[in-house]
Amino acid sequence: MSPISMTVQEKRAAISLAAIFALRMLGLFMILPVFALYAEGLEGVTPLLVGMAIGVYGLTQALLQIPFGMLSDRVGRKPVITVGLMIFAAGSVVAALATSIEGVIVGRALQGAGAIAAVVMALIADLTREEHRTKAMAVIGMTIGMSFLAAMVLGPLLNVWIGVPGIFWMTAGLAVAGIVILLLFVPRPDHLSFHRDTEVEPARFHEVLADTQLLRLDLGILTLHMVLTASFVALPLLLRDAGFAPESHMKLYLPVMVLAMLAMVPFIIIAEKKHKMKQVLLGAIAVLIMTQLVLMSQDNGSIMIIAVMLWLFFSAFNLLEASLPSLVSKFAPAQNKGTAMGIYSSSQFVGAFFGGLLGGWSYGWAGAPAVFALCAVMLAAWFVAALTMKQPRYLATTLVNVGDVDSTRARELEQEISGVKGVAEVSINVDDGVAYLKVDSRVLDEEHLEQFSVSPA
């Protein structure tokens, strides 16, 4: 077998786990473009509680995803994922049956409590060799992006057919389908290992949290999802009040999301290939600020202006959503990547929670203009923080399995591997026998590096 090829099992693991991610993402986000309208008919509804219902999943997800990942190291990946999906399904049922806003909040909190993201990442690491893990993670990353696009389109469409309770019931069904995929199609790993490139290591928290470049990125993803969640407390109501019937919202979201995905591609290329990541980042944040300021003036405004602003918003949002994890990977030391990504991911969910909370509060205070004004202020603060961000090193993270070595041999190997053309940084952990590298992919001598790998051919 060629060492550059993924095995059938690795491909199966990547595709099946990506499918589980997709089903869960669909369930979480399909209500985003429709819930604010539906909530008006619930008992005890207030704008603050609507925002809480939209964003509360982020709080429970942020609190539980790292503990679930650590638990899976002890009891196994599949049992924890199964329980997580069952909790998610239970939350969906609670939300579907709820007649009060408080009931939906409980259901959404339970949905978030099925926090399996970190466990899925650990399982994909168990099922793939080091040299193919980046490919598997890329499959999952693309799936997450496509799931969000699909959710924004399917939510309004399904709302017309089955209503929001029906969407919650469908979400429960998707969680059950995820369990079926897990049990029938996801391979069982031969053994569980701790993977520093995908899992959180609490002993390294202080190193990651002391890194001001990584903290800027954590602030960025927190702000990005805060703005997204807050905006959707107001957007469905803004569209309706501008004369756009709720049953037609899908006709707006479909072209907006497709065109936004296309619009971000050239900027991704410029950021990565032309080494303009910081400039593209700042430009995208500036575009988001502009959209919020324009939307702030569109209470009972023009559908065409709102549509253009949504296209610009999602073009910039998708660009940042794709770029920020890449920046985390570039700034984090190779051996700290898993911990850095865990804190980053938790920041994203915290942002969703506070976005719902602050979006609901500001809407209740002064309507949609207050929501967009708040979002513009939060984005401006991020822009200022991003201005002082260093230019990233355009290095990729690579893993090499060096096998069972003691500390003395590990230090010798670090010296030898650091001499390979294109290797900028190397750290070997003797506990897992893996070399964690930062490399310049453009000049990397892959044949020379491969000589240090003990992976089976």
Side-chain angles (χ1 to χ4, degrees), residues 86-390:
M86 290 172 65
I87 295 171
F88 182 81
S92 302
V93 171
V94 169
L97 294 173
T99 57
S100 68
I101 189 67
E102 292 86 357
V104 176
I105 290 172
V106 171
R108 288 284 282 175
L110 277 172
Q111 282 186 320
I116 61 169
V119 189
V120 171
M121 291 300 186
L123 181 54
I124 196 70
D126 287 333
L127 293 169
T128 55
R129 289 166 294 163
E130 289 79 6
E131 57 266 36
H132 297 304
R133 199 162 297 153
T134 301
K135 299 176 191 175
M137 296 299 180
V139 171
I140 290 178
M142 288 187 293
T143 302
I144 291 173
M146 296 304 296
S147 297
F148 180 75
L149 185 155
M152 296 304 300
V153 175
L154 288 174
L157 180 64
L158 290 171
N159 185 45
V160 174
W161 293 346
I162 59 178
V164 171
I167 293 175
F168 280 126
W169 281 113
M170 182 177 175
T171 297
L174 293 175
V176 173
I179 294 173
V180 172
I181 292 172
L182 176 71
L183 298 180
L184 297 184
F185 297 102
V186 177
R188 183 175 296 278
D190 294 330
H191 61 276
L192 302 182
S193 301
F194 182 83
H195 309 277
R196 285 172 175 80
D197 59 316
T198 59
E199 295 186 69
V200 170
E201 190 174 6
R204 295 187 180 272
F205 276 162
H206 69 285
E207 297 176 25
V208 173
L209 292 174
D211 189 321
T212 57
Q213 301 305 314
L214 292 174
L215 287 178
R216 284 175 174 83
L217 301 176
D218 295 336
L219 171 66
I221 195 62
L222 185 150
T223 303
L224 189 63
H225 280 262
M226 185 183 296
V227 168
L228 175 72
T229 310
S231 295
F232 274 97
V233 174
L235 268 173
L237 302 171
L238 181 69
L239 288 169
R240 182 197 61 188
D241 295 344
F244 202 56
E247 57 269 21
S248 299
H249 286 191
M250 186 273 292
K251 298 176 183 177
L252 173 64
Y253 286 120
L254 178 58
V256 161
M257 296 301 294
V258 172
L259 291 174
M261 290 292 287
L262 295 175
M264 80 168 187
V265 173
F267 293 99
I268 289 287
I269 295 172
I270 291 170
E272 292 286 355
K273 301 296 184 182
K274 303 296 184 181
H275 291 186
K276 300 291 185 181
M277 184 70 79
K278 181 177 178 179
Q279 293 89 329
V280 168
L281 176 79
L282 290 170
I285 300 171
V287 169
L288 288 180
I289 294 171
M290 184 269 291
T291 64
Q292 299 305 296
L293 293 175
V294 174
L295 288 171
M296 187 174 67
S297 68
Q298 293 302 306
D299 209 12
N300 297 314
S302 163
I303 287 294
M304 183 57 67
I305 292 176
I306 295 172
V308 172
M309 289 305 105
L310 284 179
W311 169 64
L312 290 171
F313 176 87
F314 281 110
S315 297
F317 176 88
N318 291 336
L319 176 59
L320 290 164
E321 186 84 349
S323 299
L324 287 171
S326 175
L327 282 167
V328 172
S329 181
K330 287 175 171 62
F331 278 117
Q335 69 273 19
N336 287 354
K337 182 183 174 184
T339 303
M341 287 303 301
I343 294 173
Y344 169 88
S345 180
S346 295
S347 300
Q348 171 183 323
F349 297 126
V350 170
F353 170 67
F354 280 109
L357 199 65
L358 294 174
W361 170 79
S362 56
Y363 191 91
W365 173 53
V371 177
F372 298 120
L374 176 67
C375 290
V377 170
M378 293 187 295
L379 288 165
W382 178 20
F383 185 87
V384 171
L387 273 174
T388 57
M389 184 182 79
K390 294 179 181 177

Side-chain angles (χ1 to χ4, degrees), residues 400-422:
V400 176
N401 183 356
V402 297
D404 187 13
V405 295
D406 58 25
S407 57
T408 301
R409 179 55 182 155
R411 302 294 82 78
E412 293 172 352
L413 279 174
E414 286 179 348
Q415 291 294 322
E416 295 172 18
I417 294 173
S418 65
V420 175
K421 184 180 180 181

